[in-house]
Each structure stands twice: as C-alpha cells, then as structure tokens.
Amino acid sequence: MTDDFMLKPTIRPRRLRAFPAMRNLIAETRVSPAQLMLPAFVRDGIEEAVEIPSLPGVFQHTVESIRALASECVKAGVGGIMLFGIPNTADKDEQGSPAWDPDGILNRGIRAVREEVGDELVVGADTCLDEFTSHGHCGVLTADGQVDNDATLPLYAKMALSQARAGAHMVAPSGMMDGQIAVIRQALDEAGFTDTTVLAYSAKYASAFFGPFRDAVACSLEGDRRSYQQDPRNRREGVFETQLDLAEGADMVMVKPAGYYLDVLADVAEMSPVPVAAYQVSGEYAMLEAAVANGWIDRERAIDESLHAIVRAGADTVLTYWALEYAQRVK
C-alpha cells in the first residue's frame, strides 16, 4: 500500500454533507410542527397578557388572549397546546379546590380554547394541584407537613373530570403521586370520558430547571418536592415509573426535563409501546435565551439543535416554549 493511496481516501463521508439540499435529503431526524405542544399559561385577574420576566417572549394570558394564541398555533401547524392555570392568590386553599371548580381559571381557559379551535389542535390540561394550593405542593398535606399520596388521588380524579367536562382532549397528571394514572383513568371511564387521553408525566425529576416555571405560575411553594419527584441521580427509576404508568393505563408517557435526561428518554422510548413525550422545561428555555441575549450563541441554530436532540433521543412529541415560533419559521 503506497503512501499516495493513504493520502487519497476513497470513503468520504463528507460527500453527504457537502450542501444543504444533500444534508436535508439524508437527515435521520426531523422535527415537525405537528409533533410539538406549546405550554401556555392562563391567569385570573389580569386585563391583558403579561410577559414573564424569567421567560422572555412567554406570557401569562387572559382567557381572550389564550384564544388568539391557540388560533395562531392552528395556523402554524402546531400539534397541541398544554394549558396551565394561575388563580388569584386569595382563591388558593390547602386542597387546591380552584383546580376542579368549573368556573376556575384553568377550566375557563380550556373551554375558551376548545370553542376557538375545536378539534384542530390537541387541547391538553395540566392535572396537578401545585398552582392551586396555598402551600404550593402537588397534593394535600398531613398534619406534619408531608404530602399525603392517597388522600391526593381523589382530588386528581376530580380535577381530571372537570377538565374533561370543560373540553380537554388530554389530561396530563404531573404530580408524581403513586397510583394517579389508575385513579384518573377509572374516574374518566366511569363518567363516560373514555376517549379522553391521559398523558402521564412518568419520569419527572426534582429538577433545578423548573425555576422559571414556578415564577410563571406564581407558585406558593416553600421547600421542595424531592419526596415525590424523582432523584436526578437515578436512571433506571425512570423506566420503572414508566412501567407502572403503562400498567395503569397511560395513553402516552413523558420524560421531564428533556435536555438533561436524554439517557432516560432513550431508555423509555426503547421500551414504551405507547407514544413518548418530553418536556423542554422553562430552565432550558431561559438559559438558552439568556445566552442569546449575551451574544454567546446563535439563537435559531441552538433552538433547532436542542429540539432535534430530544427527537433524536426518541421523543414522539415535544413540549417546548418555542413550539409556535419554530412552527412559524419552518413553515
């Protein structure tokens, strides 16, 4: 073998990277607007949409402005919207009863969006008490301040039923209470909502990257949620939690956060017989936007890379605050 041969390779992977059309032709991973869901906030007691300081470009919406946002999502081809409600602080109580009030802010938001878009957009609703409890935890508390798993389950069922009655196509239990999927599925079925989808937050970690979200929903939490959300140091536990939710009847499962848990996401995607979602959380969004604001990274390339990484790891659906923007741009 001559030195001249060694200087002239015949196998050249760069041929398939030479220009954009070629790269697009053979791309292994593609992100479609139809597989994205936009997390969106609807807040009681405001007259116009209010930008969230820690999430630049993301707003707390009125019931009317959330209608307009949903309509924009339809026009852009976004697949779904996930609604979170923010009640007046004075309305919160220890049980989180505004969560299942038919006239509570989240259920009013659900009704408004369904009236606006019908079935052209999947309308999901966060099924958790943390925005509605005076203490900010995802369930009711015992006398010594611990979250009472079993006492919380019937409240989740009431919340899910109220959301289904308001028009949610999908309920999304995110509280990480043991047994929550089975209880919600049974309640929905017994009430005749057999077609309402349950998206289980199956592998939800006690992450530091939820910080801006808690700002967005004006959460009253003191302390942390480490006794019920998963330990970020654990990987196998994510698959185990997913197996439990599948056995209880989850229609879809989720890994949250997404970007820092791609190993868990890949594990779940490999074993799950149902579609897998991943939530690109508020801290992931805020960090990238902060880096952009400082001129450190290319914004569009970084957004695209982050979304493709999540889909490449196995997500069928991605919840991301860039859903509408990305869809409008690629369309």
Side-chain angles (χ1 to χ4, degrees):
M1 188 175 294
T2 66
D3 290 342
D4 185 55
F5 175 84
M6 296 298 293
L7 293 173
K8 295 181 179 179
T10 56
I11 300 174
R12 297 180 184 268
R14 287 182 57 186
R15 294 187 188 110
L16 298 178
R17 307 174 197 146
F19 57 100
M22 180 65 78
R23 293 193 291 273
N24 290 336
L25 181 70
I26 55 88
E28 298 177 31
T29 303
R30 304 174 193 273
V31 178
S32 165
Q35 71 187 118
L36 303 180
M37 291 192 79
L38 178 68
F41 306 99
V42 57
R43 179 178 174 181
D44 218 348
I46 57 174
E47 299 298 324
E48 59 183 13
V50 177
E51 188 170 18
I52 301 163
S54 55
L55 291 172
V58 180
F59 291 79
Q60 296 170 333
H61 285 274
T62 67
V63 172
E64 287 306 311
S65 68
I66 203 76
R67 286 178 178 268
L69 180 67
S71 182
E72 285 187 68
C73 287
V74 171
K75 292 176 184 176
V78 173
I81 190 169
M82 184 64 68
L83 299 176
F84 298 83
I86 309 167
N88 292 317
T89 301
D91 292 334
K92 298 181 181 182
D93 58 33
E94 291 189 357
Q95 283 200 318
S97 61
W100 56 84
D101 182 349
D103 293 320
I105 184 59
L106 180 52
N107 287 326
R108 297 203 321 266
I110 294 167
R111 282 196 299 273
V113 170
R114 276 303 304 275
E115 289 171 2
E116 187 71 22
V117 301
D119 293 335
E120 293 187 88
L121 185 71
V122 176
V123 179
D126 180 63
T127 310
C128 191
L129 299 177
D130 57 329
E131 295 103 295
F132 303 95
T133 55
S134 54
H135 46 73
H137 277 288
C138 298
V140 293
L141 303 182
T142 61
D144 62 354
Q146 301 300 308
V147 175
D148 190 329
N149 188 99
D150 293 5
T152 297
L153 296 179
L155 305 185
Y156 281 5
K158 290 173 66 173
M159 187 177 186
L161 279 172
S162 73
Q163 293 169 341
R165 292 181 179 121
H169 296 110
M170 171 187 291
V171 298
S174 61
M176 292 300 290
M177 296 297 116
D178 296 340
Q180 62 184 13
I181 303 304
V183 168
I184 288 172
R185 182 73 271 164
Q186 181 179 354
L188 290 170
D189 288 351
E190 289 179 353
F193 293 103
T194 55
D195 289 336
T196 302
T197 297
V198 177
L199 167 58
Y201 282 61
S202 297
K204 181 179 179 181
Y205 286 83
S207 173
F209 295 101
F210 297 157
F213 175 89
R214 292 173 186 168
D215 180 27
V217 297
C219 182
S220 305
L221 179 69
E222 294 183 6
D224 59 57
R225 300 186 174 120
R226 296 181 187 181
S227 68
Y228 46 104
Q229 294 177 354
Q230 290 176 246
D231 189 328
R233 296 172 293 184
N234 295 347
R235 178 174 177 172
R236 291 191 302 271
E237 186 179 35
V239 170
F240 177 60
E241 287 277 8
T242 302
Q243 290 171 330
L244 292 174
D245 285 349
L246 290 169
E248 292 179 20
D251 299 294
M252 295 177 64
V253 294
M254 186 194 291
V255 175
K256 181 183 180 182
Y260 284 83
Y261 295 83
L262 295 180
D263 55 339
V264 178
L265 175 57
D267 291 346
V268 169
E270 184 176 5
M271 56 76 68
S272 176
V274 303
V276 176
Y279 196 146
Q280 188 176 47
V281 300
S282 59
E284 297 176 75
Y285 176 96
M287 287 193 303
L288 191 152
E289 291 289 358
V292 168
N294 280 283
W296 294 336
I297 57 176
D298 182 304
R299 185 174 183 275
E300 287 189 1
R301 286 186 62 193
I303 291 170
D304 291 0
E305 187 173 338
S306 70
L307 292 174
H308 281 85
I310 296 165
V311 174
R312 190 182 66 237
D316 302 293
T317 300
V318 182
L319 282 78
T320 174
Y321 297 96
W322 287 301
L324 178 57
E325 176 189 333
Y326 178 86
Q328 291 171 330
R329 174 158 53 85
V330 301
K331 186 176 182 181

